[in-house]
Amino acid sequence: MATALEELPTLFHKYGVAKNVLGKLILWNGDITRIKVDAIVNAANSRLAGGGGVDGAIHRAAGHATLQEECRKYSGCKVGKAVITSGCGINHIKNIIHTVGPQVYGKLSEKHRDDLISCYRSSLELAVENKLSSIAFCCISTGVYGYPHNAAAEAVTDFLTNWLENDQNKDQISHVVLVTFMPVDQQCYEKYFDEFAAKF
Ligand code: AR6
């Protein structure tokens, strides 16, 4: 089975460093289409139409027409929800999970936070339902959707460490990789990983 750790050493060597919290939550900086895990999570739009940023990178790696065809079976996706397609041949991953993050224009609210966490929860639930054990997330909503980097890193690290410790399905997930792309996200996550790592 393709797990994150089988492939990550090579990727660390080529692209950067990683930190590991709880033995399961890994921070990695790089291109999500270059990682070999069971599932990668795309920051999509509600039409599942493809776009820029990580969505564009995933559509390019998958072959836009192929992935579009698979996405057409859903009538879009609501904010905070997630849908699943095949991996479309990307690095032999099994599936792509597409989730839609909140758009933060103006003041950050509790609703934005709830919707962001819902993206991560819905994606993990889909991974469990589909018997996927390793999953890589991009930093959902922190690009064009404008979610503040630091607030996202804090909320997401808090949620994922709690989920991996307490959720009834936690044993089905072997590794969660948080993929940062911009240095600002890497720095924010490193700070919270250091805080959380000190607790375990
Ligand atoms: N690998 C990993 N992360 C990446 C990559 C990559 N190849 N490319 C960008 N990121 P964004 P959003 C990071 O804007 O804010 C699309 O057009 C990026 O640095 O891709 O949720 C969709 O169609 C940032 O941290 O997604 C939607 O319309 C993170 O991915 C809209 O953008 C998310 O940035 C969604 O906006």
Side-chain angles (χ1 to χ4, degrees):
M1 182 179 57
T3 66
L5 287 187
E6 278 168 17
E7 295 294 318
L8 278 170
T10 325
L11 293 170
F12 292 163
H13 180 65
K14 276 169 89 173
Y15 300 110
V17 294
K19 287 172 176 265
N20 196 337
V21 172
L22 287 172
K24 282 189 169 189
L25 181 60
I26 298 157
L27 182 59
W28 180 70
N29 187 66
D31 178 351
I32 201 165
T33 67
R34 303 298 303 267
I35 198 166
K36 189 172 174 187
V37 284
D38 288 343
I40 60 174
V41 180
N42 181 20
N45 54 58
S46 56
R47 290 175 297 122
L48 300 175
V54 69
D55 197 10
I58 290 173
H59 275 254
R60 275 193 298 282
H64 183 60
T66 313
L67 186 48
Q68 273 298 94
E69 186 59 33
E70 284 208 42
C71 285
R72 256 195 282 278
K73 69 180 175 221
Y74 300 105
S75 315
C77 178
K78 291 199 161 64
V79 174
K81 304 284 184 208
V83 300
I84 191 163
T85 62
S86 80
C88 294
I90 301 178
N91 291 339
H92 307 290
I93 62 170
K94 293 178 183 165
N95 293 97
I96 306 168
I97 293 172
H98 308 261
T99 189
V100 182
Q103 300 184 28
V104 183
Y105 302 122
K107 197 170 176 290
L108 184 66
S109 69
E110 274 299 305
K111 170 89 168 69
H112 292 132
R113 187 185 193 279
D114 292 348
D115 285 343
L116 183 70
I117 294 310
S118 176
C119 289
Y120 287 83
R121 184 184 293 107
S122 305
S123 300
L124 283 166
E125 284 168 2
L126 267 184
V128 168
E129 258 173 62
N130 287 276
K131 305 202 176 343
L132 304 166
S133 73
S134 57
I135 178 169
F137 287 96
C138 65
C139 300
I140 299 159
S141 276
T142 63
V144 299
Y145 280 1
Y147 204 106
H149 303 277
N150 192 59
E154 182 176 23
V156 170
T157 312
D158 185 37
F159 168 72
L160 287 174
T161 48
N162 270 308
W163 195 97
L164 289 169
E165 276 215 306
N166 300 315
D167 192 88
Q168 60 177 351
N169 294 313
K170 65 180 182 184
D171 293 338
Q172 291 191 51
I173 298 293
S174 66
H175 301 104
V176 174
V177 186
L178 275 167
V179 179
T180 58
F181 197 64
M182 290 187 287
V184 62
D185 287 314
Q186 193 185 4
Q187 283 154 18
C188 290
Y189 271 107
E190 278 185 353
K191 186 173 82 182
Y192 290 109
F193 266 48
D194 284 342
E195 273 180 31
F196 280 94
K199 291 186 193 164
F200 298 105

